[in-house]
Every structure is written in C-alpha cells, then in structure tokens.
C-alpha cells in the first residue's frame, strides 16, 4: 500500500482498519457526482448515495469503489458497519494533531478525488479536533505506521485510526434521513 507511508502528505481518503465488518451494495443514482474509493458517503433523501460534505450530520460509510459522475449504479459497494474503524490522514494545515487529539472528535475535509489515481482525497480536518460530539469522526489512535511520533507543528501529516461518529445505521438515537 504505497499510500501508507509515515509522515507524508499523500491523502487517500479512509480505508478500513482491521477486519471489514460489513460491505453492502447501495444505489448510486445518475444525479450523483463522482465517488472515489475512500470517500465518506451519505444516504440522500431519495435513497441514493452522495459524497458526504464537510460538517455532514450523518454518514452511512466509506466508498469501496469508483463510480463516475452522472452514472447510475445499483450495486455500489460501501463499507457500512457502524463499528468499522478506518485509517485516514490529517490535513495538518493550521494545527498539527498530537497525542492530545486521541479521544477527540474532528470533521472531515472533503475534496474531489484524484482523477489520475481514482483515489479519494478526504482527510481529517486537524483544526477541528475538539470534544464537540457532533463532528463526523472520533479519533481513536495514531496508526502504527507513524511509529508513535506525534506532530509538533503544522505540515507534519499523520495517519489516524478513526470511527464515524454519527452513523446512519448507528442506533436509536440517530435521526433518519
């Protein structure tokens, strides 16, 4: 996995960490934008998938494959288990994530995927790592590839193990679409 290099700026979206707990097909309707492997996705009100936005209230999971814009796909695969852990890079733009970031919540930085590699470019928005429980991700740990070396300033990217905070399949407390 060439994207799993320590302390480099090479965003790749979110990839399952540990065993894949669930991967199911969903409808990606023709009105949707391109979706890249590693993009956080949400169920829209019409039942089709869409790419999650920054500050997205509910997320269904992470895309497991690519689909071009304006293309309908009835069996688009998504890692969708509420307890699935993912590995994702932080953006380290205005705030470096440190050991104190573990246990906090953070938003995602949503950008269009790479049209050459067909990979997601979603990242953790490092400047949002706080105790606010409405943010998209829960920071669980730094990924072992980093060797336990935390960032000391901005521009020091790290890979993190995270979980989706507000999962659309997460339980009774979650509001429906």
């Amino acid at each position: 996995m060439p994207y799993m290099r320590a302390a480099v700026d090479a965003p790749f979206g979110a990839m399952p960490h540990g065993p894949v707990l669930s991967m199911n097909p969903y409808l990606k309707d023709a009105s949707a934008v391109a979706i890249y492997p590693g993009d956080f996705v949400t169920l829209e009100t019409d039942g089709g998938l869409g790419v999650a936005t920054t500050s997205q209230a509910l997320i269904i999971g992470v895309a497991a494959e690519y689909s071009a814009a304006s293309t309908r796909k009835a069996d688009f695969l998504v890692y969708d288990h509420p307890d699935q852990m993912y590995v994702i890079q932080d953006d380290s733009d205005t705030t470096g994530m440190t050991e104190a970031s573990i246990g906090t919540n953070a938003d995602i930085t949503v950008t269009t995927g790479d049209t050459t590699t067909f990979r997601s470019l979603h990242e953790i928005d490092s400047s949002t790592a706080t105790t606010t429980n409405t943010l998209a991700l829960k920071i669980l740990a730094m990924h072992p590839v980093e060797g336990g070396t935390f960032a000391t300033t901005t521009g020091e990217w790290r890979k993190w193990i995270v979980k989706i905070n507000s999962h659309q399949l997460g339980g009774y407390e979650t509001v429906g679409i």
Side-chain angles (χ1 to χ4, degrees), residues 103-126:
T104 64
N105 302 303
D107 215 343
I108 53 177
T109 299
V110 176
T111 55
T112 303
D114 187 315
T115 57
T116 302
T117 63
F118 294 103
R119 298 240 17 115
S120 174
L121 295 176
H122 289 190
E123 297 176 284
I124 297 170
D125 183 352
S126 62

Side-chain angles (χ1 to χ4, degrees), residues 56-105:
Q56 181 76 44
L58 295 170
I59 297 173
I60 191 76
V62 171
E65 60 180 312
Y66 171 76
S67 181
S70 304
T71 303
R72 185 181 195 280
K73 187 164 179 16
D75 57 353
F76 188 85
L77 293 174
V78 174
Y79 303 110
D80 64 352
H81 197 283
D83 292 327
Q84 182 68 56
M85 293 184 295
Y86 301 95
V87 60
I88 184 172
Q89 174 180 295
D90 67 59
D91 64 5
S92 192
D93 60 351
T94 59
T95 305
M97 289 179 64
T98 66
E99 190 170 12
S101 301
I102 296 172
T104 64
N105 302 303

